[in-house]
């Protein structure tokens, strides 16, 4: 038996080429189909805004494609591996490899190394492109596809509780004293009873003051049942800009180091951090899920093609992959709810299916 990790360089490159080309083909097909369906559903909303045209449709496509790639790349790796393994099995190439003294782990070794490279590329892609696309497209969608201000850390649909008062900002842009809140609504309550509703186009913090400056204000007085219009007003005494920026920390819209810094800010403000910590850990475990796909799909590679069980083995490998994605999403949701610790929420599915895949492989082939 050949005990070398890569017994043949030519064979390793052949396996990696099959693995990457099949996975890339599946990814391109999936992204094209899903992007077409997504655009059919959103194009009417985009074009309904006066001034929007073909340029805005192409902008939406450019923003959505990175999100689709990030979400479906691990799934494409699973299907691509299954396609490659079924072809190798049916052509008796796996039998030839095993007859030459290669173990199942040696056959999988080149794919595992290639998966590590794909995981590293996916992590870099997420940190440099996906987080920016997610932040902009979510803000644009929440703004009903109307023009947005320049992106300086845009947040949308932010809610803050200040005493009994509820504050809602449609768009929050910037940080510190340069923060600008747009489409602001302040629900002034006393003892749980609504007294006033203040609606302003913009709100900015005033340097050296604890109040905010409102512009183009409309105030509804519930006691008098009247609406007053003011060009300028002041309010939100005691509310800091950090309360708005920390009210909504979405891990999918922040890169790893920014999210880590926001977690420290949340801790300093006494805010819960479980969801943010789970998202931070999942930024590592998510891309690494591509490492599991060759292992979970390996059940389709082994066994004689003439036994008639190739399709059954491929379905089993696909079922294991789907089960992982379901478990991963469920675990992350439980972590966001605080039922699981952040580490368990992010890493438990990965470690569980790593053991399951290795157990299936060892018991069936080794």
């Amino acid at each position: 038996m050949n005990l070398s990790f890569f017994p043949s360089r030519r064979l390793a490159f052949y396996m990696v080429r099959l693995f990457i080309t099949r996975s890339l083909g599946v990814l391109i097909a999936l992204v094209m189909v899903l992007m077409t369906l997504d655009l059919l559903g959103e194009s009417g909303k985009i074009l309904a805004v006066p001034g929007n045209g073909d340029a805005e449709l192409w902008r939406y496509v450019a923003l959505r494609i990175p999100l689709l790639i990030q979400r479906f790349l691990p799934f494409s790796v699973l299907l691509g591996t299954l396609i490659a393994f079924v072809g190798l099995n049916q052509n008796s190439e796996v039998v030839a490899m095993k007859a030459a003294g290669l173990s199942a782990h040696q056959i999988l070794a080149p794919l595992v190394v290639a998966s590590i490279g794909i995981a590293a590329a996916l992590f870099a892609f997420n940190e440099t492109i996906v987080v920016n696309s997610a932040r902009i497209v979510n803000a644009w969608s929440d703004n009903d596809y109307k023009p947005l201000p320049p992106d300086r850390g845009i947040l949308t649909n932010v809610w803050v509780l200040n005493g009994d008062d509820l504050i809602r900002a449609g768009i929050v842009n910037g940080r510190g004293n340069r923060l600008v809140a747009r489409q602001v609504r302040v629900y002034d309550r006393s003892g749980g009873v609504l007294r006033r509703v203040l609606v302003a186009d913009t709100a900015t913090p005033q340097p050296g003051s604890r109040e905010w400056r409102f512009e183009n204000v409309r105030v509804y007085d519930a006691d008098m049942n009247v609406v007053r219009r003011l060009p300028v007003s002041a309010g939100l005494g005691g509310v800091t800009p950090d309360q708005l920026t920390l009210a909504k920390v979405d891990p999918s819209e922040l890169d790893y180091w920014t999210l880590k810094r926001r977690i420290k800010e949340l801790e300093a403000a006494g805010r819960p951090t479980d969801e943010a910590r789970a998202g931070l850990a999942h930024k590592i475990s998510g891309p690494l899920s591509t490492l599991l796909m060759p292992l979970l799909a390996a059940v389709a590679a082994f066994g004689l093609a003439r036994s008639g069980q190739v399709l059954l083995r491929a379905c089993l490998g696909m079922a294991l992959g789907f089960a992982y994605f379901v478990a991963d999403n469920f675990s992350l949701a439980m972590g966001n709810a605080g039922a699981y610790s952040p580490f368990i929420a992010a890493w438990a599915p990965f470690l569980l299916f790593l053991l399951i895949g290795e157990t299936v492989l060892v018991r069936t082939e080794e």
Side-chain angles (χ1 to χ4, degrees), residues 39 43 46-47 49 51-62 140:
L39 189 60
S43 59
I46 297 172
L47 296 176
V49 178
N52 284 356
D54 291 345
E56 282 68 29
L57 290 178
W58 285 112
R59 183 190 180 202
Y60 180 78
V61 170
W140 196 25

Side-chain angles (χ1 to χ4, degrees), residues 213-276:
R213 173 188 171 92
F214 297 125
E215 296 182 0
N216 195 12
V217 184
R218 298 170 299 284
V219 181
Y220 169 71
D221 192 319
D223 295 331
M224 301 179 64
N225 194 27
V226 295
V227 177
R228 292 180 297 151
R229 296 180 179 272
L230 303 170
V232 178
S233 181
L236 295 185
V239 177
T240 64
D242 287 344
Q243 286 181 260
L244 292 180
T245 55
L246 294 178
K248 184 179 180 181
V249 178
D250 189 346
S252 67
E253 298 179 2
L254 300 172
D255 62 76
Y256 185 87
W257 298 109
T258 302
L259 180 57
K260 200 170 184 178
R261 187 169 62 250
R262 292 291 176 86
I263 290 174
K264 293 180 180 179
E265 294 174 356
L266 288 171
E267 288 178 337
R271 305 282 300 270
T273 61
D274 286 346
E275 181 177 357

